[in-house]
Amino acid sequence: MSAPEPVLPEPVRPEPVLIARHLTRSLPGDPPATLVADADLAILPGRFTAIVGPSGCGKSSLLYLLGLIDRPTSGQLLLDGRDLAQMSGDDRARIRLEHFGFVFQFHFLLPEFTALENVMLPLRRLGRLSQAQARERAMQMLADVGLGDKWMKPPDRLSGGERQRVAIARALANNPRLVLGDEPTGNLDSVNSARVVDLFRDLAHKQGRAVVCVTHDMGIADLADIRVTMLDGRVVEVREQHPAPSAGTQ
Amino acid sequence: MLGRLSLLIHIAARHLLMRRRQTLVATSGVAVGVGFFLAVSALMVGSQNDFVRQLIDVAPHIIVSDELRSPPPQPGVRAYPGGAVQIHGYKQRNEVRGIKDWQRLMARTGAIEGAIASPSLSGAVTLRMGGRDEPLAVVGVEPGIEAKVSNIADKMRAGQLIDLERVQGGVILGEELARRLGLNMGDIVSATSAAGVTRSLRVVGLVKKGNSMLGGSTGYMLLREAQSLLGRPFIINRIGIKLTDAYAAQTIAAQLEAQSGYKAESWQERSSDFLSLLLTRNIVMYSVVSAILLVASFGIYTAVSTSVADKRKDIAILRSMGFSQGDLQLVFVLEGLALAVVGVLLGWALGTGLMGVLGSLDLSVGGEIQHIPLDKSPRQYAIAAGASLAAGVVAAWLPARKAASVDPVDILRGAL
């Protein structure tokens, strides 16, 4: 007769949202230039991941591969067990629309549209909400980033920090599982920069999204839960800087 | 799907509204093209219709004459139809000239719906006046019927066709011939036919000059009197037929010819040279006009391709957001289409205005005030719109493909 096994609390190890296997991107040429070589990476929900490394190490290239903006030369990119690397352009666009949200160094707001209309673009393209619902949700998104009163302004009438926050609201409009940032604070002063970083950490810790940010700002990298270091196109280190919160505290 | 389209239209519309000058230039290019197409084609088609109407109305729609298209079959051949008979050196039967059994042919024609047939006899006479001889092709008609079949009544300078019945030996002459002979209304002239009959004729009407088909040397008489003058009583050699539907002439002529054996000539056959000339004219017109529309579509091409070049950043961000390549291509095709649609609407207005101006011009032709014949049929509007929209879409589609092929990576990371 054996005693019943004691039930031990298991460490929270959530299923990765996105898994990269041997992800490689090279440019044709003689010899071919390799931007990203054989990258293996798992992107976890609820965690803020920072990709760091010297200029030209391929960190942005990796981000674009993870974000389906660029297509790998070889390797796999798995989302829910499906390999996104081999999918058609239209299918990849659909996945970006439903699951991914991007924030870039430059806001890239459409100049002809107001802040509200910019946030509504992905909502309208997805088409799950009626026009009125989309508008309401976009207003809420803007309010969440503290711009509830500036919805009717065109981008050129907003400050740099405000524009970036509109861009974040737009990235979050379709409630993405994965938020990708390419130097999102690169063009902001320290106050705005801190606000954006706080927002990103909240997206991970409070809303459970996977957040991946390319940055050269070591201050931001230190705040990240997971730090991915790249060198010459290779992932040289993946370090967990802050332990995952246990199930009880989440 | 509908939501997607309305979103893409929204984006396209914003692009165009933000680029007012480009938009204005491109739409006015299309508008000018469409406007001038409408004006030119209204002129060309209008004048063509007018010309064809004159071709149709200048003489009866079908003329049955006593001519045969092939020699009449000889009795030997008739007796052995299809037999291997070759007959040489026989004496040809001498048929009496004129349409035989013409009353039956008249009755048969009368049975065709909308057809009016007028019998006539024509022959040559010589007019003699003060030692001057002038040849005259005299046509004997029944004035009451002939007036319904030909438009001779409209071409009269003086007198009336019906006067032939009122005046013994009345004749209607071309005014130029009358002038040459020094004849006026009511004057008497002597006419001699090849049959040796001489009669005195009284001028009861004058036909305006400048009617080529009536000729300067044609005269009208009463049928009965012409038969007597030409020495061919009860004979006619021509039946003019007028139809309600002029374009049925060819078929009906063929039927009549098959039934009667006499040559039945439709107006189309009569004027086939003119009709082929019109075809050439149409080809020339449509080539010039397509060139205008093509140039207009260059405007759209330029507008859309600069728009694509300007919006590379927007294209990249929309792609990263999850818009497909097809979405972006459609945005720019829609821009081209919108430019074409607005251009067509403005062009319709411009064309209508130009037609109004052309239509109000008074032209003096041969001393008479005439208006330019214009064709304002919806067909021309539809052709102009169809051609412009198609050209606009193609012109936009070429640069739009470039929009779809923009690689977001280059732009997003290279930035600004």
Side-chain angles (χ1 to χ4, degrees), chain B residues 210-361:
Chain B
N211 292 294
S212 56
M213 291 299 278
L214 295 173
S217 54
T218 305
Y220 286 86
M221 290 177 69
L222 205 58
L223 177 60
R224 231 175 24 249
E225 291 175 351
Q227 285 168 338
S228 141
L229 174 60
L230 297 169
R232 306 174 69 184
F234 308 114
I235 287 181
I236 66 146
N237 58 9
R238 199 183 96 136
I239 300 176
I241 301 166
K242 181 161 184 148
L243 303 168
T244 342
D245 175 16
Y247 287 85
Q250 225 157 1
T251 0
I252 293 178
Q255 276 171 25
L256 287 175
E257 188 163 320
Q259 285 169 1
S260 67
Y262 289 110
K263 180 176 166 189
E265 198 180 37
S266 64
W267 67 267
Q268 288 104 324
E269 186 184 346
R270 199 167 62 218
S271 3
S272 56
D273 48 349
F274 287 117
L275 293 176
S276 67
L277 187 75
L278 290 178
L279 184 70
T280 324
R281 217 173 78 125
N282 276 335
I283 293 172
V284 171
M285 173 183 84
Y286 282 109
S287 334
V288 170
V289 160
S290 353
I292 298 178
L293 290 177
L294 192 67
V295 171
S297 70
F298 287 162
I300 293 185
Y301 178 89
T302 317
V304 175
S305 60
T306 51
S307 178
V308 169
D310 276 8
K311 295 292 171 199
R312 283 166 61 83
K313 249 170 36 179
D314 295 14
I315 294 168
I317 189 66
L318 286 168
R319 294 262 284 120
S320 79
M321 223 183 273
F323 283 66
S324 67
Q325 291 185 309
D327 289 340
L328 288 155
Q329 189 164 340
L330 196 52
V331 164
F332 290 97
V333 168
L334 285 170
E335 285 184 26
L337 188 62
L339 292 173
V341 166
V342 175
V344 163
L345 293 177
L346 293 177
W348 278 357
L350 177 65
T352 309
L354 285 173
M355 281 188 228
V357 172
L358 287 170
S360 68
L361 293 180

Side-chain angles (χ1 to χ4, degrees), chain A residues 118-159:
Chain A
N118 265 289
V119 177
M120 284 175 72
L121 285 170
L123 289 166
R124 291 178 65 190
R125 180 62 189 85
L126 189 60
R128 288 210 181 118
L129 302 178
S130 71
Q131 185 83 3
Q133 288 170 319
R135 190 185 160 84
E136 199 177 318
R137 174 158 172 84
M139 284 298 257
Q140 185 58 50
M141 303 305 302
L142 283 173
D144 287 353
V145 294
L147 290 172
D149 54 339
K150 304 212 165 152
W151 59 273
M152 79 307 284
K153 296 207 172 180
D156 57 8
R157 304 256 309 274
L158 295 170
S159 73

Side-chain angles (χ1 to χ4, degrees), chain B residues 106-130:
Chain B
M106 286 282 293
R108 203 184 283 156
T109 316
I112 298 170
E113 197 174 314
I116 306 169
S118 163
S120 61
L121 172 70
S122 56
V125 299
T126 306
L127 292 184
R128 178 160 297 168
M129 181 75 184

